[in-house]
Amino acid sequence: MFRLSALRSVLSPMSSLARSVVAPGSIGNCKLHTAALASLPRDLITLADYSAEQIAALVESAADFKQKTKHEGQAFHPDQPLKGKTIAMLFSKRSTRTRVASESSIAYLGGHAMFLGKEDIQLGVNESLRDSAQVISSMVDGIFARVGAHSDIATMAKHSTVPVINALCDENHPTQILADLLTIWEVFAPRRPGSQSIFDVLRGLNVAWVGDANNIVYEMLAAMPKCGINMNVCTPAKYPIPEAIRQRASLDAQSASTSVSYSHDPLVAVSGADVIVTDTWVSMGQEGEKAQRLLDFDGYQVSVDMAQKGQANKDWVFMHCLPRKPEEVTDQVFYSDRSVVFQEAENRKWTILAAFNALLSKRALSN
């Protein structure tokens, strides 16, 4: 069983406002969802395919790995569940956090990471994605792929004979949102003493998204409402959330008794917010749209003034998946005690590690 009672702060220096401190014994009676790990789908393409309990189980597993590694000195997994296993890392886009987190996680689990960048292989260029998926999966034990179109990762998963984990596509970024949920849990658990489960901590929190309609907010909408979090999503009118994503989020919210709302006014979105989140306004491949996008997102820069005028909760915290550009959030917020962005970035390691262990380990592959 995970020793979550010992989960501790990893962000320093921070004030008591946003600091992640889960004191020993404070959630020692936390109900865990370990059984849900045995029922995970073979692939991790989007958290829309996972139940709230399965999402919770991955986050709890990540917290356990973080505790054992950072605070108990466990340099490698004692069972080496990926020993003798090769994981293909297919990256058609550059990466910092995802690559460092994934390669170090595979090493921790005893496996071999085979990095294949766009200069090494050209997915879907000289060979169809279907053929590439069949060939590569015949030689490795898992695929971790960072691609462009969602159809690319879907095709790979369909034709691969080994588990496929989505490292990012234009519609989804599941390991990022798992990291976000871990960060939110760490931050708010001390504020809700006596919680019986991760859901007790997350339930009723208000997360405000102020930014682009992109894969990050799509994935947030796929996971957070079903886990008990209310979401207020604000995007410019020219950048709406697709109707299919809205409908799915609405159904999840109804089932979990949470709420999801949409607006084009940042002040409306941050009203009552516990967490304010944004992301880049110009994603990779959109550089030619930068000038127009900066105009379209005028007034969307997250600032203390925005939070005050919109009446965010007094203890609100700020999140951003990085890399950050100054027009998206002021330095006053980004480098403040309210910001948990570097804690959030580090948590990519622990949630990717949890996903690899759950989906690619010897135990999982034998099921």
Coordinates of all heavy atoms in Angstrom, one line a residue, residues 317-354:
V317 N -3.8 29.7 -6.5 CA -2.5 29.4 -7.0 C -2.5 29.4 -8.5 O -3.5 29.3 -9.1 CB -2.0 28.1 -6.4 CG1 -1.9 28.1 -4.9 CG2 -2.9 26.9 -6.9
F318 N -1.3 29.5 -9.0 CA -1.1 29.6 -10.5 C -0.4 28.4 -11.0 O 0.6 28.0 -10.5 CB -0.4 30.9 -10.9 CG 0.0 31.0 -12.3 CD1 -1.0 31.3 -13.3 CD2 1.2 30.7 -12.8 CE1 -0.7 31.4 -14.6 CE2 1.5 30.8 -14.2 CZ 0.6 31.1 -15.1
M319 N -0.9 27.9 -12.2 CA -0.2 26.8 -12.9 C 0.0 27.1 -14.4 O -0.8 27.8 -15.0 CB -1.1 25.5 -12.7 CG -1.2 25.1 -11.2 SD -2.3 23.6 -11.0 CE -1.3 22.4 -11.9
H320 N 1.0 26.5 -14.9 CA 1.3 26.7 -16.3 C 2.2 25.5 -16.7 O 3.2 25.1 -16.0 CB 2.1 28.0 -16.5 CG 2.3 28.4 -18.0 ND1 3.0 27.6 -18.9 CD2 2.0 29.5 -18.6 CE1 3.0 28.2 -20.1 NE2 2.4 29.4 -19.9
C321 N 2.0 24.8 -17.8 CA 2.7 23.6 -18.1 C 4.1 23.9 -18.7 O 4.9 22.9 -18.9 CB 1.9 22.7 -19.1 SG 1.7 23.3 -20.7
L322 N 4.4 25.1 -19.0 CA 5.7 25.5 -19.5 C 6.0 25.0 -21.0 O 5.4 24.0 -21.3 CB 6.8 25.1 -18.6 CG 6.7 25.5 -17.1 CD1 7.9 25.1 -16.3 CD2 6.6 27.1 -17.0
P323 N 6.8 25.6 -21.7 CA 7.5 26.9 -21.4 C 6.6 28.1 -21.5 O 5.7 28.1 -22.2 CB 8.6 26.9 -22.5 CG 7.9 26.2 -23.7 CD 7.1 25.1 -23.1
R324 N 7.0 29.0 -20.6 CA 6.1 30.2 -20.5 C 6.7 31.4 -21.2 O 7.9 31.5 -21.3 CB 6.0 30.5 -19.0 CG 5.5 31.9 -18.6 CD 6.7 32.8 -18.2 NE 6.1 34.1 -17.8 CZ 6.9 35.1 -17.3 NH1 8.2 34.9 -17.2 NH2 6.3 36.3 -16.9
K325 N 5.8 32.2 -21.7 CA 6.2 33.5 -22.4 C 5.6 34.6 -21.6 O 4.5 34.5 -21.1 CB 5.8 33.5 -23.8 CG 6.3 32.4 -24.7 CD 5.8 32.4 -26.1 CE 6.3 31.2 -26.9 NZ 5.7 29.9 -26.3
P326 N 6.3 35.8 -21.4 CA 5.8 36.9 -20.6 C 4.5 37.4 -20.9 O 3.8 37.9 -19.9 CB 6.9 37.9 -20.8 CG 8.1 37.2 -21.2 CD 7.6 36.0 -22.0
E327 N 4.0 37.3 -22.1 CA 2.7 37.9 -22.4 C 1.6 37.1 -21.8 O 0.5 37.5 -21.7 CB 2.5 38.0 -24.0 CG 2.5 36.7 -24.7 CD 3.9 36.4 -25.3 OE1 4.9 37.0 -24.8 OE2 4.0 35.5 -26.2
E328 N 1.9 35.8 -21.4 CA 0.8 34.9 -20.9 C 0.6 35.1 -19.4 O -0.6 34.9 -19.0 CB 1.2 33.5 -21.1 CG 1.4 33.1 -22.6 CD 2.4 32.0 -22.8 OE1 3.0 31.5 -21.9 OE2 2.7 31.8 -24.0
V329 N 1.6 35.5 -18.7 CA 1.5 35.7 -17.2 C 2.6 36.7 -16.8 O 3.7 36.6 -17.3 CB 1.6 34.4 -16.5 CG1 2.8 33.6 -16.9 CG2 1.5 34.6 -15.0
T330 N 2.2 37.6 -15.9 CA 3.2 38.5 -15.4 C 4.3 37.9 -14.6 O 4.0 36.8 -13.9 CB 2.6 39.6 -14.6 OG1 2.0 39.1 -13.4 CG2 1.5 40.4 -15.4
D331 N 5.5 38.5 -14.5 CA 6.5 38.0 -13.6 C 6.0 38.0 -12.2 O 6.4 37.1 -11.4 CB 7.8 38.8 -13.7 CG 8.6 38.5 -15.0 OD1 8.2 37.6 -15.7 OD2 9.5 39.3 -15.2
Q332 N 5.2 39.0 -11.8 CA 4.7 39.1 -10.5 C 4.0 37.9 -10.0 O 4.0 37.5 -8.8 CB 3.8 40.4 -10.4 CG 3.3 40.7 -8.9 CD 2.4 41.8 -8.9 OE1 1.9 42.3 -9.9 NE2 2.1 42.3 -7.7
V333 N 3.3 37.3 -10.9 CA 2.5 36.0 -10.6 C 3.4 34.8 -10.8 O 3.5 33.9 -10.0 CB 1.3 35.9 -11.5 CG1 0.7 34.5 -11.4 CG2 0.3 36.9 -11.1
F334 N 4.1 34.8 -12.0 CA 4.9 33.6 -12.3 C 6.0 33.2 -11.3 O 6.2 32.0 -11.0 CB 5.5 33.7 -13.7 CG 6.2 32.5 -14.3 CD1 5.4 31.5 -14.8 CD2 7.5 32.4 -14.2 CE1 6.0 30.3 -15.3 CE2 8.2 31.2 -14.7 CZ 7.4 30.2 -15.3
Y335 N 6.6 34.2 -10.8 CA 7.7 34.0 -9.8 C 7.3 34.3 -8.4 O 8.1 34.4 -7.5 CB 8.9 34.9 -10.1 CG 9.6 34.4 -11.4 CD1 9.5 35.2 -12.6 CD2 10.3 33.2 -11.5 CE1 10.1 34.9 -13.8 CE2 10.9 32.8 -12.7 CZ 10.8 33.6 -13.9 OH 11.4 33.2 -15.0
S336 N 6.0 34.3 -8.1 CA 5.5 34.6 -6.8 C 5.3 33.3 -6.0 O 5.4 32.2 -6.5 CB 4.1 35.3 -6.9 OG 3.1 34.4 -7.3
D337 N 4.9 33.5 -4.7 CA 4.6 32.3 -3.8 C 3.3 31.6 -4.3 O 3.0 30.5 -3.8 CB 4.5 32.8 -2.4 CG 5.8 33.3 -1.8 OD1 6.8 32.8 -2.3 OD2 5.8 34.1 -0.9
R338 N 2.5 32.3 -5.1 CA 1.3 31.6 -5.6 C 1.6 30.6 -6.7 O 0.8 29.7 -7.0 CB 0.3 32.7 -6.1 CG -0.2 33.6 -5.1 CD -1.3 34.5 -5.7 NE -1.8 35.5 -4.7 CZ -2.8 35.2 -3.8 NH1 -3.3 34.0 -3.8 NH2 -3.2 36.1 -3.0
S339 N 2.7 30.8 -7.3 CA 3.0 29.9 -8.5 C 3.6 28.6 -8.1 O 4.5 28.5 -7.3 CB 4.1 30.7 -9.4 OG 4.5 29.8 -10.4
V340 N 3.0 27.5 -8.6 CA 3.5 26.2 -8.4 C 4.0 25.5 -9.7 O 4.0 24.3 -9.8 CB 2.4 25.3 -7.7 CG1 2.1 25.8 -6.3 CG2 1.1 25.2 -8.5
V341 N 4.4 26.3 -10.6 CA 4.7 25.8 -12.0 C 5.9 24.9 -12.0 O 6.0 23.9 -12.8 CB 5.0 27.0 -12.9 CG1 3.7 27.8 -13.1 CG2 6.2 27.9 -12.5
F342 N 6.9 25.1 -11.1 CA 8.1 24.2 -11.1 C 7.8 22.9 -10.4 O 8.3 21.9 -10.7 CB 9.3 25.0 -10.6 CG 9.7 26.2 -11.4 CD1 9.5 27.5 -11.0 CD2 10.2 26.0 -12.7 CE1 9.8 28.5 -11.8 CE2 10.5 27.1 -13.5 CZ 10.3 28.4 -13.0
Q343 N 7.0 23.0 -9.4 CA 6.5 21.8 -8.7 C 5.7 21.0 -9.7 O 5.8 19.7 -9.8 CB 5.6 22.2 -7.5 CG 5.0 21.0 -6.8 CD 4.1 21.5 -5.6 OE1 4.1 22.7 -5.3 NE2 3.5 20.6 -4.9
E344 N 4.8 21.6 -10.5 CA 4.0 21.0 -11.5 C 4.9 20.4 -12.6 O 4.7 19.3 -13.1 CB 3.1 22.1 -12.2 CG 2.3 21.7 -13.3 CD 1.6 22.9 -14.0 OE1 1.9 24.0 -13.6 OE2 0.7 22.7 -14.9
A345 N 6.0 21.1 -13.0 CA 6.9 20.5 -14.0 C 7.6 19.3 -13.5 O 7.7 18.3 -14.2 CB 7.9 21.6 -14.4
E346 N 8.1 19.3 -12.3 CA 8.7 18.1 -11.7 C 7.8 16.9 -11.6 O 8.2 15.8 -11.8 CB 9.3 18.4 -10.3 CG 10.0 17.2 -9.7 CD 10.2 17.3 -8.2 OE1 10.3 18.4 -7.7 OE2 10.2 16.2 -7.6
N347 N 6.5 17.2 -11.3 CA 5.5 16.1 -11.2 C 5.3 15.4 -12.5 O 4.7 14.3 -12.5 CB 4.2 16.7 -10.6 CG 4.3 16.9 -9.1 OD1 5.2 16.3 -8.5 ND2 3.4 17.7 -8.5
R348 N 5.7 16.0 -13.6 CA 5.7 15.2 -14.9 C 6.5 13.9 -14.8 O 6.1 12.9 -15.3 CB 6.3 16.1 -16.0 CG 5.4 17.3 -16.4 CD 4.1 16.9 -17.0 NE 4.3 16.0 -18.2 CZ 4.8 16.4 -19.4 NH1 5.1 17.6 -19.6 NH2 4.9 15.5 -20.3
K349 N 7.6 14.0 -14.1 CA 8.5 12.8 -13.9 C 7.7 11.7 -13.1 O 7.7 10.6 -13.6 CB 9.7 13.2 -13.1 CG 10.5 12.1 -12.4 CD 11.2 11.2 -13.4 CE 12.1 10.2 -12.7 NZ 13.3 10.7 -12.1
W350 N 7.0 12.1 -12.1 CA 6.4 11.1 -11.2 C 5.2 10.5 -11.9 O 4.9 9.3 -11.7 CB 6.1 11.7 -9.9 CG 7.3 12.4 -9.3 CD1 7.4 13.7 -9.0 CD2 8.6 11.8 -9.0 NE1 8.7 14.0 -8.6 CE2 9.4 12.8 -8.6 CE3 9.1 10.5 -9.1 CZ2 10.7 12.6 -8.2 CZ3 10.4 10.3 -8.7 CH2 11.2 11.3 -8.3
T351 N 4.4 11.3 -12.6 CA 3.2 10.7 -13.3 C 3.6 9.9 -14.5 O 3.0 8.9 -14.8 CB 2.2 11.8 -13.6 OG1 2.9 12.9 -14.4 CG2 1.6 12.4 -12.4
I352 N 4.6 10.3 -15.2 CA 5.1 9.4 -16.3 C 5.7 8.1 -15.8 O 5.4 7.0 -16.4 CB 6.1 10.2 -17.2 CG1 5.4 11.3 -18.0 CG2 6.9 9.3 -18.1 CD1 6.4 12.2 -18.8
L353 N 6.4 8.2 -14.7 CA 6.9 7.0 -14.0 C 5.8 6.1 -13.7 O 5.8 4.8 -13.9 CB 7.7 7.4 -12.8 CG 8.3 6.3 -12.0 CD1 9.2 5.3 -12.8 CD2 9.2 6.9 -10.8
A354 N 4.7 6.6 -13.1 CA 3.6 5.8 -12.7 C 2.9 5.2 -13.9 O 2.5 4.0 -13.8 CB 2.6 6.7 -11.9

